[in-house]
Amino acid sequence: MISVGGEELEVEEVDIISIVPISSMLRLAALIGGEAVETTALALQLHRYQHNGPDPESYFSDIPDDKTAATAIYSTRQLLQENLRT
């Protein structure tokens, strides 16, 4: 049962969607466990890269260039595909 506008509705299956501040994502991933920490950490690095671009000096991101970013994107994709299969 879920409550929508004060009305109780019965549902068979529910996807949980949540808005989480970036500063809390790693903590939440640690609670979930498994590969969630690794995948989340990589996604957060890509997020910083997206906003700041390549960072050869590593001031804002650990991603120094576009080639490293491409490798990180591919790795994230692989991790997500593996997790979706299980």
Side-chain angles (χ1 to χ4, degrees):
M1 299 291 276
I2 62 170
S3 178
V4 177
E7 182 181 345
E8 295 289 321
L9 301 173
E10 187 171 334
V11 294
E12 292 181 22
E13 205 173 298
V14 176
D15 290 330
I16 298 173
I17 298 173
S18 177
I19 297 173
V20 178
I22 290 174
S23 60
S24 300
M25 286 184 171
L26 274 178
R27 196 171 329 138
L28 179 60
L31 291 173
I32 294 169
E35 292 183 356
V37 174
E38 180 182 352
T39 306
T40 301
L42 197 49
L44 288 171
Q45 285 296 330
L46 288 168
H47 175 75
R48 288 185 198 101
Y49 168 81
Q50 179 185 12
H51 286 282
N52 299 304
D55 189 6
E57 291 83 24
S58 295
Y59 292 126
F60 301 104
S61 168
D62 290 335
I63 300 177
D65 54 45
D66 292 339
K67 184 176 180 181
T68 304
T71 302
I73 291 167
Y74 180 78
S75 295
T76 303
R77 178 179 171 263
Q78 291 298 105
L79 285 168
L80 291 172
Q81 280 183 325
E82 289 170 15
N83 287 330
L84 290 174
R85 283 189 215 130
T86 58

